[in-house]
Amino acid sequence: MLLTIPNLWKTPRCRPLRWHLLTLVLAAAAPLATADTKRVTVPIALPFQQQSSIQASSAPAAVAPSAYSVQTTQFTQTATPSSAAVSSAAPVANLPSSEPAVVAQPLVALPVAVVSSLAASSQPAVLPDNTATTVATPTPAVAASKAQASSAAAKPAPANAQVAKAKPAPEPAISIPLVTTAPIKAPRYPAGHPEAFVAEFEDYVAHKIAPFVPGVAIVVVSGGQIKSLQGFGVRRAGTREKVTPDTVFRLASLSKPVTATAASVLVNEGGISWDTTITSVLPKVGFKNTRYGNQLTLRHALSQSSGLPRHTYSHYIDQNMNYADVVSRLRYVNFVCPPGKCYAYQNVVYSLAGDMIKQKSGMSFESYVGKKVFEPLGMRTASYGLNSYNASPNRASPHIANGKRWVPTAVVSNWYKVAPAAGVNASIVDMSKFLLGQIGRRQDALPLAVLKPIQSRVTKNTPEQNYYGVRKAVDNTAYGLGWRVFDYGRNKNFVHHGGHVKGFRTEMVFNRDLQIGMVFLSNSETRLARDVIFKFLDMHERAQQAARAAKKR
């Protein structure tokens, strides 16, 4: 059979010839290609390599032990960076984002890590999320160069183009000291002692909660004194960074009592009244029903009795909308009742109280709280905002559940935009001081004239609205000013608030008459927190009953 040239070319016999001709063609074309083009090799960083580069870039920012000045007292040791350490720290601007990067983490089973003691040391703790110890702002030269680059890259806008609204600058980070506080273990008493409940509650957290969450910190006050101050577990799953009494957590809605306390200080100083109307201080805030809107007061905002629907525009905060834009939309919302006549939990409307404090005090809301609440009580690592959270050298990372394990996640910044409602960062040491102030043990800082108005019932509600379920012993529930108030069993006037934001869960409860209290902070959204306040109250009541029975014998 005769083969044509095309058919012959396709036979296996001609395969070496085909490869030889192809090589000659490519060799002849190579000089032409390289003469007109430049070959550039671009390295591609995978996610884990990007994380390594962040670690490498932040490594110089770690402050050496000798770069700290150490102040020692009987119970604490505080290390603050020297000026040389601050100047050598890499600025946060070098990082790709102000939020910790979301990096795939191995699913690690959480061990039981109980912190029974903490050696005093000036060595800075290893930071989670691979961020620098010191938050520094860019130098003027760097800022100027960035401004020139951005202006050069910007294209001239058309004459009829609308100018975008400038977003307000975030609250600058404050300097968060590295504090080392020795934990306090609960005293052990025999059955029948009225304070046996302290050790029982500490053991409950250590054995029934801590093994099932990444980390948790607690403080228990009895007889007006701190009887237990403990950290359990780790700041970040998959690491050995232990939770200590000085580990900073996000408080979420436990920030609301802080705002109410600051407002009460301002009222006590004569700077504002509980009946001061919102529109008289914030005339740009508008409401659909102007008659009801003009009746809204500071008391209504803080007592959750604005008359607006429950959680008005909280979903916009979830969507990361600018706070000022959310407030501007209040003029579209119908009231469901006149102000002061019904209970409806709020975050946006509650935060208007912070705007009122700012206007009446002449300083930022955050600065006023720092000057009037944090500093007088000695809450040294308490702060507001994401920048300050990232500046905390000993902070807990948020976690979300993945099956039966906890996985670290990125910090959600949107709820920091409503700082009066959910913006505080604090350690259990800070909260122990806040607790002592709330039960009247620090009247030099928080006199009873400040405490009584906010801890009294203002807006009647139901146990379900206070998230207490259908517990039969709960009665006479209400919302005060930034606090939930209820009776439990034979005891009256318990004061409580909790908080929840992505990756964090908080609870605080106390009774000023009984001089007891407890604060619970966790870097996870654990369901176990739902029962923790009533476990504490039940243990206290059983101890009192046993003590009364022991006296009769």
Side-chain angles (χ1 to χ4, degrees), residues 211-462:
F212 306 103
V213 297
V216 62
I218 61 165
V219 60
V220 176
V221 166
S222 179
Q225 297 180 342
I226 297 174
K227 296 301 175 69
S228 176
L229 184 72
Q230 292 283 342
F232 305 93
V234 293
R235 290 151 48 191
R236 185 177 181 89
T239 73
R240 297 182 180 180
E241 299 165 352
K242 293 183 177 181
V243 171
T244 73
D246 299 296
T247 298
V248 170
F249 295 77
R250 292 186 66 178
L251 297 190
S253 284
L254 189 48
S255 305
K256 288 182 173 69
V258 178
T259 299
T261 301
S264 193
V265 171
L266 187 58
V267 170
N268 192 51
E269 292 176 341
I272 199 171
S273 165
W274 293 119
D275 297 320
T276 299
T277 60
I278 292 176
T279 54
S280 67
V281 181
L282 308 172
K284 293 184 178 180
V285 177
F287 298 93
K288 188 171 184 178
N289 186 323
T290 54
R291 182 167 66 92
Y292 285 171
N294 291 334
Q295 295 174 9
L296 268 175
T297 66
L298 176 64
R299 187 194 313 272
H300 294 143
L302 294 177
S303 64
Q304 307 289 16
S305 60
S306 65
L308 292 172
R310 177 177 177 267
H311 278 291
T312 293
Y313 288 156
S314 289
H315 66 286
Y316 282 138
I317 303 300
D318 277 325
Q319 294 171 13
N320 209 25
M321 182 180 288
N322 181 272
Y323 169 68
D325 292 338
V326 177
V327 171
S328 69
R329 293 173 180 243
L330 291 175
R331 65 184 183 273
Y332 303 124
V333 184
N334 289 315
F335 284 76
V336 296
C337 72
K341 298 300 182 181
C342 62
Y343 170 83
Y345 191 83
Q346 307 289 345
N347 287 296
V348 176
V349 175
Y350 192 96
S351 295
L352 293 175
D355 299 333
M356 297 177 73
I357 291 172
K358 175 183 177 180
Q359 292 297 320
K360 286 295 188 177
S361 68
M363 63 181 73
S364 72
F365 165 74
E366 295 83 357
S367 298
Y368 186 82
V369 175
K371 182 178 180 180
K372 298 296 183 177
V373 180
F374 293 163
E375 291 179 14
L377 291 176
M379 300 170 65
R380 301 184 62 188
T381 58
S383 65
Y384 277 93
L386 177 62
N387 287 342
S388 295
Y389 166 82
N390 285 333
S392 303
N394 180 358
R395 67 186 181 281
S397 297
H399 294 77
I400 57 175
N402 188 331
K404 295 183 178 180
R405 306 187 182 191
W406 294 102
V407 181
T409 187
V411 176
V412 177
S413 62
N414 48 1
W415 284 98
Y416 278 126
K417 295 180 179 181
V418 283
V424 178
N425 315 301
S427 69
I428 201 67
V429 171
D430 296 323
M431 295 309 293
S432 71
K433 296 175 180 180
F434 188 66
L435 174 56
L436 291 175
Q438 293 294 322
I439 66 172
R441 305 300 292 188
R442 288 295 313 277
Q443 294 195 37
D444 57 319
L446 301 179
L448 291 179
V450 170
L451 301 178
K452 287 182 177 180
I454 62 177
Q455 297 174 10
S456 300
R457 291 172 175 82
V458 179
T459 308
K460 182 71 176 177
N461 61 10
T462 66

Side-chain angles (χ1 to χ4, degrees), residues 485-517:
V485 188
F486 65 98
D487 297 340
Y488 191 62
R490 67 185 186 90
N491 294 309
K492 311 298 181 183
N493 302 325
F494 285 99
V495 183
H496 158 256
H497 215 288
H500 167 243
V501 72
K502 183 180 179 182
F504 290 96
R505 192 74 164 76
T506 60
E507 295 288 349
M508 176 173 173
V509 65
F510 63 90
N511 189 302
R512 185 154 44 88
D513 296 331
L514 300 177
Q515 288 289 287
I516 63 169

